Each structure stands twice: as structure tokens, then as C-alpha cells.
Amino acid sequence: MMRCAVLTLFPDMVAPVLGQSMLKRAQEKGLLEVSVRNLRDFTFDRHKTADDVPYGGGAGMVMKAEPIFLAVEALCDQYGAANPIDANVRIVMPSPQGRPFSQELAKSLAEDARPIVFLCGHYEGIDERVRLALHPEEISVGDYVLTGGELAALVMIDAAARLVPGVLGDQASAEEESFSEALLEYPHYTRPAEVRGMGVPDVLVSGNHERIRVWRRKEAIRNTYQKRPDLLRDRVLGKEDQQLLIEVMQESLASACAGRRGD
Ligand code: ADE
């Protein structure tokens, strides 16, 4: 069971996504709990002000600290944690300045017994005193800047939730696929047997499970070699994989030569 909360000024950017597909089913099955909280509910002025102009001047608005502290404290109460930094709650702040998100981090979120609070920044950022007091774990989903942390939080929740045992119908698929083994996936085909003149590789309809396994392994290696050769660089390959990689490299060289000759 993965328990998390998303603190945001824009709950409608988050909640509808959680109500679809796998994330919806994971919650229905009791394998995932996500509570989406509007930070404006933790403000007490007439206008529900959660942001203000920056000290020192300049463009943009800064999210106020107090509504965030109050929201985190309310969640800690709900989770039975004494206070936000007593290590019983994991506070994640999506930020382009953070540590790069990865399959390994997704796994660590999925396996964490603590509730995870995603603190979503917007506008120019969050009052620095939130970071100083709560020491959130800053995580980036890539070297680009989003309009806020909500989409990044959803990316992390999605990637982690599918690793919670039972969320995917077939647990083997989580283990088999891209990145969990640092290889990209092999190609998939489904019915019909012919689509716009394109068929299905014979081996997949051969019924020979061993040949299918080897074909899939080789195509996974080919995909990785062609699209993400960096993933193969630091990898120690077993004997079968080494042989398949050699074949893939030879085939790729042969097709490059054929291309030059115009065959
Ligand atoms: N907020 C804005 N940009 C982001 C990014 N790249 N990753 C995580 N949070 C963000």
C-alpha cells in the first residue's frame, strides 16, 4: 500500500488524472491512497491568499509559507506522525533543481512505508523558509521547467504506483519491462495478423516459447543498442546477451553497408 498526499493550489490539475485507468483501480483495490489537498483551505483571510509578492521586488508571486506548514501539520496529524520532520513522513518537493527522478527512485517511493507528501510549487516558487524548516527531498522529472510541481508529482505517483505489488494485473510485466532491467522493451504485436500490409514476425506465431524468449531478448537488446546505447555501456552482460548484442551489431553494420551500396 502506497499512501500519499498532494498539496497544491490547483487540485483540478491532479484529481482528474487520479480518477483514471490504473491509478483509479489501484485506489479502488486499496493499494494506493492519494489525498489531494488545496492549500487555499489552509488560509484564513477573506481572499484565501496563498501567494504574495516577493521581498526585494521582481516579477511573479511567491507561495506563502504558513498555509504549507499548516497543511503539512494537518497531514501529519492524519497520519499519526508527531511532526513533519520526525522521519515518519516523507516530504517530496518536485523541483527542476532536484535530484533526477529515475526508476530507482520510483521503486523507493513505492516501497516506502511512510506516507509521502508532494509539495507542489507554482509561480516563481515557494517561500524559502518551507525548505529550511521541512527539508523536503527535491526531485526533478527532467531538465526543463514546468508551470508547477503538479504534473511532476503525478509522474512520480504514476511511476511508483505501478510498482506496488498487485497494481498491475500481471506482476511479471513490471519486472520484465524497460528500465527495471536497464534494457528497453521488445516490440509487441496484437491481432489482426496483417495491418496495412504489415505482418507479424513468424517466430511470435510459432508457438515455440524458447525461440520467442530469445527473439524478445534480442529485440530488447536491439532497441537499447539503437535508441539508448548509454544503457548498455556500464552493463555486465551474461553470455547469451553478449552473443545477441554481437548479432545485433553485425546486423546493424550489414544494414548500414547495404544502405550505402543502395541494396
Ligand atoms: N517543477 C517545475 N519544473 C519541474 C521539473 N522539471 N521537475 C520537477 N518539478 C518541476
Side-chain angles (χ1 to χ4, degrees):
M1 156 71 141
M2 176 177 162
R3 279 176 109 185
C4 55
V6 182
L7 296 184
T8 171
L9 288 175
F10 300 94
D12 291 345
M13 274 183 88
V14 179
V17 177
L18 298 169
Q20 298 288 321
S21 182
M22 289 292 203
L23 294 179
K24 178 184 182 192
R25 253 179 289 149
Q27 291 168 90
E28 287 167 353
K29 286 199 238 170
L31 300 171
L32 171 70
E33 180 192 293
V34 192
S35 156
V36 182
R37 299 293 184 87
N38 191 339
L39 283 166
R40 287 193 203 282
D41 294 341
F42 298 89
T43 59
F44 299 98
D45 63 308
R46 227 156 38 96
H47 301 290
K48 295 189 171 293
T49 314
D51 58 312
D52 209 335
V53 294
Y55 274 115
M61 300 292 271
V62 176
M63 284 169 64
K64 290 164 78 68
E66 194 56 23
I68 296 174
F69 288 136
L70 291 173
V72 169
E73 282 158 9
L75 282 169
C76 287
D77 269 355
Q78 182 189 320
Y79 293 139
N83 68 66
I85 48 172
D86 72 352
N88 286 326
V89 182
R90 182 167 179 179
I91 303 181
V92 171
M93 190 157 98
S95 158
Q97 298 174 22
R99 174 178 169 203
F101 190 56
S102 61
Q103 189 67 13
E104 191 190 332
L105 259 175
K107 197 153 181 275
S108 125
L109 295 177
E111 289 172 356
D112 207 317
R114 295 170 295 176
I116 302 160
V117 177
F118 291 92
L119 202 50
C120 299
H122 239 275
Y123 310 123
E124 289 310 297
I126 296 181
D127 189 311
E128 179 65 4
R129 288 165 290 192
V130 169
R131 224 172 48 80
L132 294 175
L134 300 181
H135 305 291
E137 192 176 333
E138 291 178 79
I139 303 180
S140 164
V141 295
D143 286 338
Y144 42 80
V145 182
L146 300 168
T147 54
E150 288 77 6
L151 295 175
L154 284 171
V155 164
M156 294 186 232
I157 292 169
D158 188 88
R162 59 189 292 293
L163 299 177
V164 173
V167 168
L168 295 185
D170 173 9
Q171 197 51 32
S173 46
E175 281 148 27
E176 219 179 68
E177 67 177 21
S178 302
F179 290 104
S180 41
E181 262 210 304
L183 278 186
L184 302 187
E185 277 208 79
Y186 54 79
H188 303 278
Y189 291 84
T190 188
R191 284 179 289 193
E194 193 179 310
V195 177
R196 307 211 170 192
M198 296 176 283
V200 173
D202 288 339
V203 57
L204 296 182
V205 289
S206 68
N208 182 330
H209 296 299
E210 177 57 13
R211 277 187 60 216
I212 293 172
R213 184 194 67 75
V214 174
W215 181 86
R216 286 181 166 163
R217 191 78 194 166
K218 182 170 175 179
E219 295 312 308
I221 290 174
R222 192 191 311 281
N223 245 346
T224 313
Y225 176 69
Q226 289 174 346
K227 298 177 185 165
R228 290 289 307 274
D230 56 300
L231 295 178
L232 287 170
R233 215 175 13 245
D234 307 318
R235 212 183 132 94
V236 182
L237 296 179
K239 248 197 147 44
E240 180 183 59
D241 287 350
Q242 281 178 37
Q243 180 54 38
L244 294 173
L245 178 59
I246 290 168
E247 288 174 25
V248 161
M249 290 166 87
Q250 284 169 341
E251 286 161 17
S252 144
L253 199 61
S255 94
C257 293
R260 281 181 140 225
R261 284 198 309 270
D263 297 3

